[in-house]
Amino acid sequence: MEPFDTITGIAAPMLDANIGTDVIMPKQFLTGIDRKGLDRGVFYDQRFLPDGQKNPGFVLNEARYSNAKFLLTGPNFGCGSSREHAVWGLRQLGIRALIGTSFAGIFFDNCMRNGVLAATLEARELDQLSQVVVQNPGLPMTIDLPAQQISIEGHMNLSFEIDDLRKKTLMSGLDPIGATLQYKQDIIDFEDRHLQENPWLADQAEVSQRS
Amino acid sequence: MESKTLYDKLIDSHTVKTLDDDGHVLLYIDRHIVNEYTSPQAFSGLREQDRNVWRPSTTLAVVDHVNSTEPNRVDFSTQESGANQMRYLADNCEKFGIELFDLLDQRQGIEHVVAPEQGLVLPGMVIAAGDSHTTTYGALGAFGFGIGTSEIEHLLATQTLVYKRLKTMRVTIDGRLGFGVTSKDLIMTVIRKIGSSGATGFVMEFAGSTISDLSVEARMTICNMAVEAGARGAYMAPDDKVFEYLESKPRVPKGALWSKAVEKWRELRTDKGAEFDKEVELNASHIEPMVSWGISPDQADGISGIVPNAENNVTHPEKVAIEKAQKYMGLEAGTKFEDIPITHAFIGSCTNSRIEDLRQVAAVLKGRQVANDVRAIIVPGSSLVRQQADEEGLADIFKAAGFEWRQSGCSLCLAMNEDVLKPGERCASSTNRNFEGRQGAGARTHLMSPAMVAAAAITGRLTDVRKLVQGT
Ligand code: SF4
């Protein structure tokens, strides 16, 4: 996972409410067994016309947003299906951060797992930010994760909240499974006690293969 | 002693280690269900890192999302990519020692129907699965939540997840449901009331006399759909109905172990005086059968209602959302719901495809005929539900009415197999999501209870099932 530190790029507004993972990554792109080629699927039904041509009316097809690294998102972005393909696709399309007022829970976690920052602002702040973005084509935005700052030079500077654990995970880009396995002995001890207290949870012929 | 919510008790009793002061814990998971479409990359991750599965016996794999629901299905899906996922799942289960209910297994079905049906979901368990509707298991007094593929890999390798404690919301529902009103109408009313992100960042506890009066299967519909309000988990304290429901299931503990377990499960409830971050109250006696008219599950209203007018009393974002929904759904403000014609009727999904749902459908369909220009489909929640419906004679009623009686799977709930609607087709559906394109690009979904779908299939338009049934 690519670490997230300070990133500068173009932001694109997608402020509709309730944009779900069904829309971010339509089902026809979910049939693979690897993560490849999902950039094509992102917002497919909006991005492309039925004949496969780019839909000129879709925001990410506008020249000014074509290299966007950030999306400004509406409430409840990423709601619905748990499909992580939505985040893989956004990441493959070059998106590194989403800035919105609220994100659906599973999607929010999936973002963190893939080096995509999902930052939450107050509605009023997001409003101001999107006005600046819309009124200043080509003006880049900078997200400084260590300082928890979003800025557009000469226009605004906002701070955002993120809990330490998520911040560290994003900044380090480290393998979370490896990190958890540091606590292997704690898990073993817990498990032994838990199965003793709740013997119906233990499988009789069980072979634990603890990694 | 400090009063605690059942949620806190479940999280506390599964905490391996507290990770920080922000509410993060390493959470032990008792049960894990995997399907063919969100798991492949997780297994590939394990293979690449040469990692084992920590405790394979806690995981069940089920094929449900991509498979065909052809009445006479014999083998893997005819779709090459779907077959690929099913083959890879079988491969992974073999390599890592995980139990698999494959396509032709008589226990195959939608994961959230199959796991309770087998008795693999027990009160007090913490359960995670790569599917958002894992919340369903809360109806049995377990705590279930959905995870993404990276988390599946983490869970397989460590039996744990890094979990952040959520805020709590209690929804207390009292009053008797009227004739023809179901738990689906109840949860759709809750979602309409609090909004599709009203429970984002929360878990929901459902309580009150209306919930106690419901059957266990009806309760599952509520916990299942709570995720459509944004809840990352929904649960109810287990009671005698739950223990009775479970006792006959194949995989539950037996004998002395069963009695010991039930004794402990009786303690699974929120303490008196425990505080919730939010309380919501609802009187169930006024609720009508609900239908959704828009492209988000909270865009719904009682069947006697009309498509709302964007100009009336709403904020700017709501106005935009209503206009967008009307455009996609091809509906004008002021249209009566009962005047909306349909092309399809679908009964299925983990929300509403259990045997009780099918009995309700049969009661509506008996002696009636599906309207001429409607294609009507029933996909049972599991192969065992299908078998039972055959044995009870329900299937004969469905077929006589003109419904297709298919094999189990997710089918038209998310349309990943060949069951897909065309642009502009309009479906009365017992499913849980009406997002744009959910049942096919450009397809239009109206969510409602299974009995309401049956009524719509018969008249060819959205219909108040109470009028249809009482009118005879
Ligand atoms: S039936 Fe629908 S909601 Fe349920 S698991 Fe399948 S696709 Fe998901």
Side-chain angles (χ1 to χ4, degrees):
Chain A
M1 195 169 89
E2 203 177 322
F4 196 116
D5 197 87
T6 297
I7 298 179
T8 299
I10 297 295
M14 291 199 78
L15 295 160
D16 281 349
N18 303 318
I19 294 182
T21 50
D22 279 271
V23 170
I24 302 171
M25 184 62 64
K27 55 193 138 264
Q28 62 269 36
F29 296 93
L30 306 180
T31 54
I33 58 171
D34 56 30
R35 301 174 193 213
K36 291 188 200 117
L38 290 169
D39 45 340
R40 171 125 182 114
V42 179
F43 299 116
Y44 189 85
D45 295 334
Q46 275 76 25
R47 235 166 99 214
F48 299 97
L49 297 167
D51 63 3
Q53 297 294 308
K54 278 190 176 176
N55 172 7
F58 183 67
V59 58
L60 293 181
N61 289 335
E62 291 176 37
R64 57 183 291 191
Y65 297 126
S66 62
N67 291 316
K69 279 191 183 155
F70 312 130
L71 298 181
L72 307 180
T73 55
N76 207 23
F77 191 82
C79 61
S81 156
S82 64
R83 59 187 74 159
E84 196 164 317
H85 310 67
V87 180
W88 297 333
L90 286 168
R91 183 69 194 82
Q92 287 169 21
L93 201 66
I95 303 295
R96 292 304 309 273
L98 308 168
I99 302 161
T101 51
S102 66
F103 298 93
I106 303 176
F107 180 81
F108 188 70
D109 286 350
N110 287 342
C111 283
M112 184 188 65
R113 288 284 190 221
N114 290 279
V116 175
L117 168 69
T120 313
L121 294 178
E122 295 292 326
R124 183 180 40 84
E125 295 172 322
L126 182 67
D127 244 26
Q128 290 168 353
L129 191 64
S130 37
Q131 274 177 29
V132 174
V133 163
V134 171
Q135 285 161 11
N136 298 278
L139 193 62
M141 176 159 117
T142 296
I143 302 183
D144 180 342
L145 179 58
Q148 297 180 213
Q149 294 283 329
I150 299 173
S151 56
I152 298 183
E153 217 182 301
H155 289 272
M156 62 195 314
N157 202 345
L158 296 165
S159 44
F160 62 91
E161 293 297 315
I162 180 169
D163 62 52
D164 272 353
L165 194 101
R166 281 176 201 276
K167 184 171 163 179
K168 270 191 224 145
T169 308
L170 282 166
M171 286 177 59
S172 71
L174 284 182
D175 162 33
I177 296 178
T180 294
L181 287 173
Q182 291 170 24
Y183 304 124
K184 185 172 171 182
Q185 194 55 46
D186 296 282
I187 304 173
I188 291 174
D189 293 345
F190 176 90
E191 186 168 66
D192 289 344
R193 199 175 62 238
H194 186 61
L195 296 186
Q196 224 160 38
E197 286 169 9
N198 304 278
W200 51 89
L201 295 179
D203 195 285
Q204 254 105 49
E206 182 156 34
V207 195
S208 178
Q209 305 187 353
R210 293 158 175 173
S211 307
Chain B
M1 229 172 53
E2 179 202 2
S3 301
K4 279 190 188 179
T5 61
L6 177 51
Y7 171 67
D8 280 329
K9 291 182 189 179
L10 292 174
I11 299 304
D12 289 349
S13 64
H14 288 76
T15 294
V16 173
K17 199 176 168 53
T18 300
L19 297 174
D20 61 18
D21 300 334
D22 266 342
H24 285 101
V25 298
L26 193 59
L27 189 70
Y28 188 83
I29 306 297
D30 297 309
R31 176 76 63 217
H32 179 205
I33 324 284
V34 296
N35 63 48
E36 73 285 16
Y37 107 95
T38 60
S39 73
Q41 298 84 354
F43 283 113
S44 299
L46 294 181
R47 286 170 184 260
E48 282 156 23
Q49 301 290 322
D50 208 11
R51 284 183 168 130
N52 274 335
V53 172
W54 183 282
R55 217 181 132 206
S57 67
T58 57
T59 299
L60 173 72
V62 190
V63 166
D64 56 3
H65 281 72
V66 305
N67 59 268
S68 160
T69 57
E70 286 279 352
N72 301 314
R73 77 180 167 203
V74 282
D75 198 352
F76 278 170
S77 155
T78 44
Q79 287 176 311
E80 187 39 42
S81 50
N84 224 354
Q85 289 183 333
M86 288 190 262
R87 231 177 276 127
Y88 192 49
L89 183 67
D91 239 36
N92 285 321
C93 287
E94 168 139 17
K95 175 174 164 61
F96 293 102
I98 290 169
E99 182 175 19
L100 168 67
F101 293 176
D102 214 343
L103 184 65
L104 299 182
D105 192 302
Q106 53 171 334
R107 299 162 298 180
Q108 178 273 343
I110 305 171
E111 54 190 291
H112 310 307
V113 177
V114 167
E117 178 177 85
Q118 288 297 315
L120 289 171
V121 174
L122 299 176
M125 276 185 168
V126 172
I127 303 177
D131 189 281
S132 58
H133 291 96
T134 307
T135 53
T136 311
Y137 309 140
L140 296 160
F143 182 68
F145 59 97
I147 53 177
T149 302
S150 300
E151 305 275 49
I152 297 175
E153 185 180 337
H154 189 282
L155 172 50
L156 287 168
T158 69
Q159 203 61 37
T160 63
L161 291 169
V162 174
Y163 181 81
K164 184 167 186 176
R165 210 178 274 262
L166 296 159
K167 288 183 284 185
T168 52
M169 177 189 299
R170 176 162 55 190
V171 182
T172 306
I173 311 175
D174 288 299
R176 282 176 74 97
L177 289 176
F179 170 78
V181 184
T182 66
S183 66
K184 177 68 160 284
D185 305 303
L186 200 52
I187 186 63
M188 285 180 71
T189 304
V190 172
I191 295 166
R192 174 170 197 264
K193 185 177 160 100
I194 66 174
S196 58
S197 58
T200 300
F202 286 85
V203 293
M204 295 168 101
E205 171 166 330
F206 287 92
S209 62
T210 317
I211 301 295
S212 318
D213 288 346
L214 292 172
S215 72
V216 173
E217 290 194 356
R219 294 178 196 177
M220 285 193 225
T221 302
I222 293 184
C223 289
N224 171 284
M225 233 182 135
V227 68
E228 304 328 325
R232 190 82 189 276
Y235 64 91
M236 300 162 175
D239 60 5
D240 283 335
K241 279 190 187 169
V242 169
F243 310 143
E244 269 161 41
Y245 169 89
L246 283 174
E247 198 168 1
S248 60
K249 302 288 183 261
R251 305 290 281 270
V252 300
K254 306 285 180 204
L257 209 50
W258 169 260
S259 319
K260 198 169 161 188
V262 171
E263 201 180 309
K264 185 148 178 203
W265 294 341
R266 289 192 192 281
E267 292 162 20
L268 295 171
R269 53 190 59 253
T270 291
D271 295 329
K272 273 214 174 63
E275 284 191 18
F276 288 79
D277 297 297
K278 196 169 174 185
E279 296 265 9
V280 174
E281 278 168 26
L282 199 72
N283 182 335
S285 56
H286 309 301
I287 293 174
E288 291 187 76
M290 298 286 288
V291 291
S292 73
W293 56 267
I295 52 173
S296 166
D298 55 352
Q299 291 177 319
D301 213 337
I303 179 69
S304 63
I306 57 172
V307 178
N309 190 327
E311 303 303 326
N312 289 352
N313 296 324
V314 286
T315 60
H316 179 70
E318 275 178 62
K319 192 175 150 194
V320 173
I322 291 176
E323 280 166 352
K324 186 179 169 193
Q326 285 172 345
K327 183 160 174 242
Y328 182 83
M329 293 298 288
L331 293 172
E332 278 173 25
T335 304
K336 282 190 189 148
F337 294 152
E338 289 184 279
D339 289 340
I340 300 174
I342 58 162
T343 59
H344 287 71
F346 177 68
I347 290 162
S349 88
C350 56
T351 309
N352 280 124
S353 61
R354 298 179 176 82
I355 193 71
E356 286 177 15
D357 296 314
L358 300 191
R359 288 182 192 136
Q360 287 174 10
V361 168
V364 176
L365 293 182
K366 193 163 189 183
R368 295 192 171 91
Q369 282 296 317
V370 170
N372 274 337
D373 30 15
V374 172
R375 182 174 171 203
I377 300 166
I378 301 184
V379 172
S382 72
S383 302
L384 289 173
V385 169
R386 181 179 154 97
Q387 192 188 329
Q388 190 174 352
D390 278 331
E391 285 164 12
E392 290 184 16
L394 307 180
D396 294 331
I397 298 174
F398 303 151
K399 287 184 266 187
F403 265 83
E404 294 172 36
W405 175 234
R406 300 178 71 93
Q407 297 278 354
S408 183
C410 293
S411 178
L412 207 41
C413 176
L414 93 165
M416 257 181 88
N417 66 354
E418 65 279 6
D419 307 337
V420 185
L421 299 185
K422 295 194 193 69
E425 289 181 333
R426 187 183 294 280
C427 186
S429 184
S430 75
T431 53
N432 42 56
R433 290 189 174 137
N434 52 345
F435 299 136
E436 286 175 70
R438 176 81 178 178
Q439 295 190 299
R444 294 156 173 168
T445 305
H446 294 275
L447 305 175
M448 61 195 78
S449 74
M452 285 285 287
V453 176
I458 287 160
T459 62
R461 55 186 167 72
L462 304 192
T463 296
D464 189 337
V465 63
R466 298 171 300 183
K467 290 188 199 163
L468 182 81
V469 173
Q470 285 174 329
T472 55

